[in-house]
């Protein structure tokens, strides 16, 4: 009888472990699929804190320019530290992020000032992940939004088609203004 | 005899100390006067490396503006880390440096781009040193020069007189564009 009681205890212990194991496995699978859903593998992340990065250069696209409708206004280029290395040596290392900040303009008595944000364009270097587009991932975020993506699937045609002209400069148009 | 020798030794040691003391004093005085000569006490230093500081905001002053002659072109404001604290808290701590960079503009096909540097205006916060001008020291460097100073005692007061309007904001006009 004593041996029998011992066996019963052993069986319930094994069952208990099995339940814990299954619960853990289910949690893992759920977390993993949630993370996949939230961030598709190739999605370019929003460039958190880019306003404090180095300011590369600026320009103003006016009504006379054919680019006015899509990019009219003042724009600034910002680069993280790795991208700054890229501007120096001509090859941008993985992890480089370049942001073009597009703002509306306000004019008053001959003075043009910065208005609300139209969008930001982002380039992220990851030579393996974005091998088909020169190693760069492209995205645009509308206005001040960190989630409203404007380029996504069309990035390859919309952005890279034009940036590919700059192959000798690692697909980058801007140069750091000293 | 041993006592006499001891006295002689003592005298020579006193002489030697005197010589060393005089040499040290002379060195100190020379260093101090060289330091004064190289850097007048109140001179605002050139803000080395400001191009990598945080970009605060930008504006463009066109020919229609009455300020065109003196401020015409595109200008960017840059701030060091202490000055960034000032924008956040409204009080700029000692060591804050703000740079007003004025560039010529080039225009082509409706796009205005950055040209040559006209000058670099600097504000440095040192509440004791510049106590008569709100705690701020003012200077302006010509073009790309780090040594050619544009301000005289009179124009320096003109800087302050205009910034004095902004007393409630610690004499600063600009605000960080988020």
């Amino acid at each position: 009888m004593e041996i029998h009681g011992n066996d019963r205890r052993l069986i319930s212990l094994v069952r208990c472990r099995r339940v814990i194991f299954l619960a853990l496995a289910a949690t893992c699978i759920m977390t993993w699929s949630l993370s996949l859903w939230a961030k598709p593998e190739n999605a370019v992340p929003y460039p958190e804190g880019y306003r404090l990065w180095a300011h590369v250069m600026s320009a103003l696209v006016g009504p006379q320019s054919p680019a006015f409708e899509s990019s009219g206004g003042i724009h600034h280029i910002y680069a993280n530290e790795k991208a700054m290395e890229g501007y120096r040596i001509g090859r941008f290392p993985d992890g480089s992020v370049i942001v073009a900040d597009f703002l509306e303009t306000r004019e008053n008595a001959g003075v043009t000032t910065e208005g609300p944000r139209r969008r930001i364009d982002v380039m992220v270097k990851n030579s393996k992940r974005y091998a088909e587009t020169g190693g760069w991932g492209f995205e645009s975020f509308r206005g001040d939004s960190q989630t409203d993506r404007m380029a996504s699937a069309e990035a390859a045609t919309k952005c890279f088609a034009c940036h590919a002209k700059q192959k000798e400069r690692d697909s980058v148009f801007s140069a750091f203004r000293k | 005899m041993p006592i006499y020798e001891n006295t002689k030794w003592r005298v020579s040691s006193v002489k030697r100390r005197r010589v060393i003391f005089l040499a040290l004093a002379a060195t100190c005085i020379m260093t101090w006067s060289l330091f004064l000569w190289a850097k007048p006490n109140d001179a605002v230093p050139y803000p080395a490396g400001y191009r990598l500081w945080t970009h605060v905001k930008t504006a463009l002053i066109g020919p229609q503006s009455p300020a065109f002659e003196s401020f015409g072109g595109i200008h960017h404001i840059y701030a060091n880390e202490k000055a960034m604290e000032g924008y956040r808290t409204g009080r700029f701590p000692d060591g804050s440096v703000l740079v007003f960079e004025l560039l010529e503009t080039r225009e082509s096909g409706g796009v205005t781009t950055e040209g040559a540097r006209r000058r670099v205006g600097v504000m440095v916060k040192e509440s004791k040193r510049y106590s008569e001008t709100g705690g701020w020291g003012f200077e302006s460097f010509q073009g790309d020069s780090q040594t050619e100073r544009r301000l005289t005692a009179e124009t320096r007061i003109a800087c302050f007189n205009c910034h004095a309007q902004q007393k409630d904001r610690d004499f600063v006009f600009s605000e960080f564009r988020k």
Side-chain angles (χ1 to χ4, degrees), chain A residues 22-38:
Chain A
L22 281 173
L24 273 175
T27 311
C28 281
I29 289 168
M30 275 175 67
T31 312
W32 182 63
S33 49
L34 259 172
S35 87
L36 275 186
W37 169 78

Side-chain angles (χ1 to χ4, degrees), chain B residues 165-177:
Chain B
Q165 302 165 30
Q166 294 293 103
K167 199 181 172 185
D168 291 344
R169 297 199 55 248
D170 207 355
F171 306 97
V172 172
F173 282 99
S174 54
E175 282 179 68
F176 181 70
R177 174 184 60 77

Side-chain angles (χ1 to χ4, degrees), chain B residues 23-146:
Chain B
L24 273 175
T27 313
C28 282
I29 289 167
M30 274 176 68
T31 314
W32 184 63
S33 49
L34 259 173
F35 175 77
L36 277 187
W37 169 78
K39 205 183 228 176
N41 203 23
D42 289 344
V44 169
Y46 183 84
Y50 76 87
R51 273 294 285 112
L52 300 178
W53 295 355
T54 302
H55 171 227
V56 176
K57 58 169 280 187
T58 293
L60 202 121
I61 295 180
Q64 281 85 34
S65 163
F68 183 70
E69 202 167 315
S70 50
F71 291 96
I74 194 164
H75 66 255
H76 305 296
I77 313 279
Y78 297 96
N80 71 356
E81 277 188 35
K82 286 191 175 169
M84 284 306 293
E85 195 188 314
Y87 283 114
R88 281 189 292 270
T89 64
R91 286 281 129 190
F92 290 78
D94 277 5
S96 293
V97 184
L98 296 174
V99 171
F100 174 97
E101 184 189 52
L102 182 61
L103 308 166
E104 288 174 14
T105 53
R106 305 268 174 268
E107 215 186 312
S108 173
V111 178
T112 307
T113 52
E114 298 165 311
R117 185 173 281 108
R118 288 189 66 182
R119 63 172 186 265
V120 171
V122 187
M123 282 174 76
V124 175
K125 186 76 176 269
E126 283 298 339
S127 6
K128 277 184 191 161
R129 186 175 296 170
Y130 307 116
S131 59
E132 287 175 15
T133 47
W136 290 100
F138 298 86
E139 188 52 273
S140 177
F141 294 88
Q142 182 69 37
D144 290 331
S145 173
Q146 306 199 0

Side-chain angles (χ1 to χ4, degrees), chain A residues 1-63:
Chain A
M1 280 305 272
E2 229 180 284
I3 292 165
H4 181 68
N6 222 345
D7 272 355
R8 247 175 41 190
R9 227 176 287 148
L10 214 82
I11 286 164
S12 87
L13 189 76
V14 165
R15 269 195 195 150
C16 195
R17 275 196 194 160
R18 212 174 268 170
V19 168
I20 289 174
F21 173 76
L22 281 173
L24 273 175
T27 311
C28 281
I29 289 168
M30 275 175 67
T31 312
W32 182 63
S33 49
L34 259 172
S35 87
L36 275 186
W37 169 78
K39 206 183 228 176
E41 205 191 329
N42 289 333
V44 169
Y46 183 85
E48 205 83 50
Y50 76 88
R51 273 296 284 114
L52 302 180
W53 296 354
H55 171 226
V56 175
M57 57 167 282
S58 295
L60 193 118
V61 176

Side-chain angles (χ1 to χ4, degrees), chain A residues 35-105:
Chain A
S35 87
L36 275 186
W37 169 78
K39 206 183 228 176
E41 205 191 329
N42 289 333
V44 169
Y46 183 85
E48 205 83 50
Y50 76 88
R51 273 296 284 114
L52 302 180
W53 296 354
H55 171 226
V56 175
M57 57 167 282
S58 295
L60 193 118
V61 176
Q64 281 85 33
S65 163
F68 183 70
E69 202 176 315
S70 63
S71 307
I74 196 162
H75 64 257
H76 305 295
I77 312 283
Y78 299 98
N80 71 355
E81 276 189 37
K82 285 189 177 172
M84 284 305 292
E85 194 187 318
Y87 283 112
R88 279 189 292 271
I89 64 175
R91 286 279 128 191
F92 289 78
D94 276 7
S96 293
V97 184
I98 300 174
V99 175
D101 197 351
F102 290 85
L103 309 166
E104 287 176 19
T105 52

